[in-house]
Amino acid sequence: MAMIDPKGIGARIIFRRGTATVVPRVPARQGWLAARYSVVSPGTELRHLLATADEDDHAAGYMTVTDSLDGGQLLTPVPHGADAQPDDHRALPIPPGTRPEHVAVARFQLIAALGLRRWMSDNRVSEPVVVIGGGPVALGCVLELKRRGVAQVVAVTRHPRPAAAVIPDVTMLTEPPGVATQTFVIDCTGRPTRALAMVTPGGLLGLLGTPGDAADLSSAAVHRQGVAVVGMHELAGHSDQARRSAFETVLGWVGDTVDIDAVPRWFARFPGERAGPFYAALAGNRRGTAPFVILEWS
């Protein structure tokens, strides 16, 4: 989603000096929509949280759901708990009655859906795809590959209880399958060097996880291996309408496919006012096992 105001007007959680502070709610601005719940992006938020140890404060989050004026809801890129403008052109409509868990899954699957448009053609679904990572971005990527009909999906993660293990026909590995052995690899960790080593000459490396500013890939290695490296940022080259259309498609598929009650370990829900211990654990590298975390604001 689009960048938010770093000062986060109306934000309920502020990152300050490396810790997360929950602040009192202020009255909603006239004509604006109050937050109902929001979805945590652990990787992005952890980077912002740690950066405030030496930099300015930063509002936490950018996936907040409000009621809409037509009886449904809107997912808008404003900080956790902040109210939103009803006519925000970046907002993604949510049909009435949609469960928050389905919204959380679809929001992360949307990242992969937009990124995969550039290289996952219909005639390639028979080829195996390796996904590196065990967080919500990786899980959303695995689900999107299955939605697209990819027959062979391999998920590589050292997560002690990987969420993707319950998805049918997904091969789980704790170690990479080998050097220069894979045609298609998608890195969801933001640390793509290891993923590059796995790609066979002439293969493709997708960067779905956001690398840090200091991360780098060897241009010499890319050249020698003839590897195509594809940036998969969800805002790169996609119109608002394209994002809304993709989200509608993905959300419908998730609602029909993901049985929330059958995968309770995928989700954690708690009041946003109690988010302090969650962020303290995140900063201490003690991330919970649930890939999708929902903060409730009403």
Side-chain angles (χ1 to χ4, degrees), residues 39-174:
V39 180
V40 174
S41 179
T44 298
E45 294 184 40
L46 178 59
R47 285 194 299 274
H48 291 162
L49 175 61
L50 297 179
T52 61
D54 301 309
E55 300 175 5
D56 293 340
D57 296 353
H58 198 290
Y62 60 96
M63 307 178 186
T64 292
V65 174
T66 68
D67 290 332
S68 62
L69 299 179
D70 61 1
Q73 293 184 321
L74 294 173
L75 174 60
T76 308
V78 296
H80 288 311
D83 41 305
Q85 292 178 292
D87 58 351
D88 193 319
H89 66 91
R90 307 164 300 173
L92 302 174
I94 301 169
T98 303
R99 295 180 67 173
E101 290 87 350
H102 282 148
V103 173
V105 175
R107 176 62 189 90
F108 282 97
Q109 190 170 333
L110 174 66
I111 301 173
L114 293 169
L116 286 168
R117 283 183 169 185
R118 292 207 166 89
W119 63 274
M120 180 54 71
S121 57
D122 292 340
N123 64 344
R124 283 184 146 167
V125 296
S126 62
E127 300 178 79
V129 180
V130 177
V131 177
I132 311 296
V137 173
L139 181 55
C141 183
V142 170
L143 289 169
E144 178 60 15
L145 291 169
K146 300 306 294 183
R147 185 186 75 83
R148 288 171 176 265
V150 176
Q152 303 175 67
V153 178
V154 178
V156 181
T157 176
R158 294 179 181 176
H159 195 292
R161 303 175 75 180
V166 302
I167 302 175
D169 302 318
V170 174
T171 300
M172 301 299 306
L173 298 177
T174 56

Side-chain angles (χ1 to χ4, degrees), residues 252-297:
W253 183 87
V254 167
D256 292 338
T257 307
V258 176
D259 182 353
I260 295 170
D261 299 321
V263 286
R265 293 204 306 261
W266 282 19
F267 307 99
R269 291 181 63 170
F270 52 88
E273 290 85 355
R274 301 179 188 172
F278 166 81
Y279 284 105
L282 190 65
N285 199 29
R286 301 188 309 276
R287 185 180 299 185
T289 58
F292 304 114
V293 178
I294 298 168
L295 305 180
E296 300 168 337
W297 299 108

